[in-house]
Each structure stands twice: as structure tokens, then as C-alpha cells.
Amino acid sequence: HFHNADLGRCVGQIDALEPVGIRIFNAHFLEARSAPRISPEAKTTWLRDLVKAATDREVTVTLENVDEPPEVLRKVLDAVPDLRSCLDVGHAHLDQRTDGARTYLAALADRLGLVHIHDNHGGHGEAGDEHLPFGQGTINLERDVQALKARGYDGHATLEIFKGTPDDKKACLRKAFCYLNTQSF
């Protein structure tokens, strides 16, 4: 809801995770579909306050793409200088956007602080956000990871694999290692 109480809860989460070494706190810009619409300006102000509190604790805040076009996220990043971007490759390919990750990367690479990687079939909304193991959807993940490498990204990446067997997930780790080391698999 982007209220002060929500800000307090997020800062409280950062403080609670300090003993285990939190360094990145990820947020989404869109509110829940059932929540009232909140202006981008109000969200930006709230994010500015969160970033200040996190920076005081030596934690980086990243803003993850969901449905927003890259130009909306760019405006927020420009308004909050210490805010970083989280490129969710799977989200970038929703609604059949075949060039999604590279489009977001072109607009936001200079502020990239985190990457989420998973596969999907490019569907719409929450139902399309399948979080599949690599190769079980339609995203060319190797191409997108290579685009990240070509831009010089060497930061954190999270494999968001919520479906599949343990062997599927192990295979994703092996493939991610290969992608990042430009080896064939």
C-alpha cells in the first residue's frame, strides 16, 4: 500500500535479516491488483525513503520489473539515484514479448543490481508467470544471459525455479553455470 507502516515493516525486515548478512532488498513497483491505484509519484517517494533507510544499513534496494514498461522503471530510477534495478527475465517475456529481457536491459543496464532467471511460455499476468526450469518454456535463456554478460553484468542472479523436480532444479544450476562461463552444455 506504500504507507509509512509498510515502510516500517520493510525496514524491520532488513534489520531482522542483518545477522545473516542481507545486502540486497528487492521490491516490486506495482501494487496488488485488488489494492487501490497509487500514483507513481507516491510510490517513488516511498521508495526514496526505503532506499535511504536501507543505504544507512549498507543494503541495496532493487526494483523488479513486473508489468511496467522499461521507461516507467527508468523514470523511477532517475528520481531515486541510489535505487538499483532487478531484471526479472521471466517477467520481461510475459505477454509474448520475445525481446523482453534485452529491451529492459538496454534501458536499465547501468543501474542493474540483481537478476532473476526462470522460464515460462510467455503468457499473461500471474498465470503466465510460471517460474519453470530452463528449457520447459519458450525463453531463450542462454541468449538473455549472454546479453547480460555482454553488458558487463557480474552481479547476483537468483534462479527462481518454483516448479519441476529436484533433478530439474539441479540441471538449471548446471546450465546457469555453463551460460555464465560461456561453455556449451
Side-chain angles (χ1 to χ4, degrees):
H1 293 271
F2 298 94
H3 296 295
N4 283 338
D6 301 310
L7 179 63
R9 276 192 291 280
C10 288
V11 173
Q13 289 173 348
I14 292 170
D15 288 341
L17 292 168
E18 188 275 329
V20 295
I22 183 173
R23 291 291 165 249
I24 300 172
F25 186 86
N26 189 54
H28 296 113
F29 194 56
L30 287 179
E31 64 265 20
R33 297 194 196 292
S34 61
R37 296 291 302 161
I38 298 171
S39 75
E41 295 78 18
K43 293 177 190 179
T44 300
T45 298
W46 187 91
L47 282 166
R48 188 177 293 117
D49 292 342
L50 176 62
V51 168
K52 167 120 180 48
T55 301
D56 290 348
R57 290 159 173 80
E58 298 181 9
V59 172
T60 299
V61 176
T62 58
L63 181 61
E64 180 177 342
N65 60 293
V66 181
D67 289 336
E68 313 85 357
E71 51 276 5
V72 169
L73 296 175
R74 182 80 242 179
K75 287 179 186 175
V76 178
L77 291 170
D78 289 345
V80 185
D82 289 331
L83 181 63
R84 308 296 286 181
S85 172
C86 170
L87 172 60
D88 188 303
V89 174
H91 292 169
H93 285 279
L94 294 175
D95 297 322
Q96 305 298 321
R97 293 179 296 212
T98 56
D99 65 340
R102 291 172 320 285
T103 299
Y104 281 87
L105 188 58
L108 309 172
D110 64 312
R111 299 287 289 278
L112 198 55
L114 179 63
V115 174
H116 289 174
I117 306 171
H118 54 95
D119 209 344
N120 64 47
H121 290 95
H124 178 70
E126 192 173 328
D129 191 17
E130 301 166 288
H131 292 91
L132 298 172
F134 300 175
Q136 292 188 12
T138 57
I139 300 173
N140 184 337
L141 292 164
E142 182 175 13
R143 176 202 58 210
D144 288 348
V145 170
Q146 292 306 318
L148 283 162
K149 286 183 65 177
R151 290 279 186 157
Y153 183 71
D154 66 352
H156 295 280
T158 301
L159 303 183
E160 287 192 324
I161 313 299
F162 300 159
K163 297 183 180 172
T165 67
D167 285 341
D168 292 334
K169 294 173 184 181
K170 288 176 188 174
C172 288
L173 283 172
R174 285 191 301 276
K175 286 181 182 180
F177 181 80
C178 290
Y179 294 164
L180 294 169
N181 289 294
T182 63
Q183 302 169 358
S184 62
F185 55 93

